[in-house]
Amino acid sequence: MKRSKELIEKRREFVSNYVIHNQSKQMKVIVSELTEMLFLSERTIYNILTDDRDIY
């Protein structure tokens, strides 16, 4: 369980940092790139981005 939480937090941090560093791109492009890199669904990425614990 602890390992799973660590993985989720690392993934969340990676997605947040990726979005910040690629702000010049449209969100749809960013999500598409993340989908290919992380093998996650678009819905999962949007959920990570809209999670209440993220600060934007």
Side-chain angles (χ1 to χ4, degrees):
M1 184 82 170
K2 181 180 178 184
R3 184 175 184 185
S4 176
K5 284 187 176 193
E6 289 176 2
L7 178 62
I8 291 170
E9 287 302 319
K10 285 182 180 183
R11 183 172 63 186
R12 183 174 284 126
E13 183 179 329
F14 178 82
V15 169
S16 297
N17 288 335
Y18 190 84
V19 170
I20 290 169
H21 287 98
N22 291 286
Q23 287 181 347
S24 61
K25 298 179 183 178
Q26 291 185 346
M27 185 57 73
K28 185 160 182 81
V29 174
I30 293 172
V31 171
S32 177
E33 292 172 351
L34 286 168
T35 300
E36 291 176 16
M37 281 192 289
L38 301 175
F39 304 103
L40 298 173
S41 69
E42 286 185 12
R43 183 78 255 147
T44 302
I45 293 171
Y46 279 118
N47 286 341
I48 290 170
L49 293 172
T50 59
D51 190 6
D52 291 336
R53 293 187 292 171
D54 287 341
I55 301 171
Y56 287 102

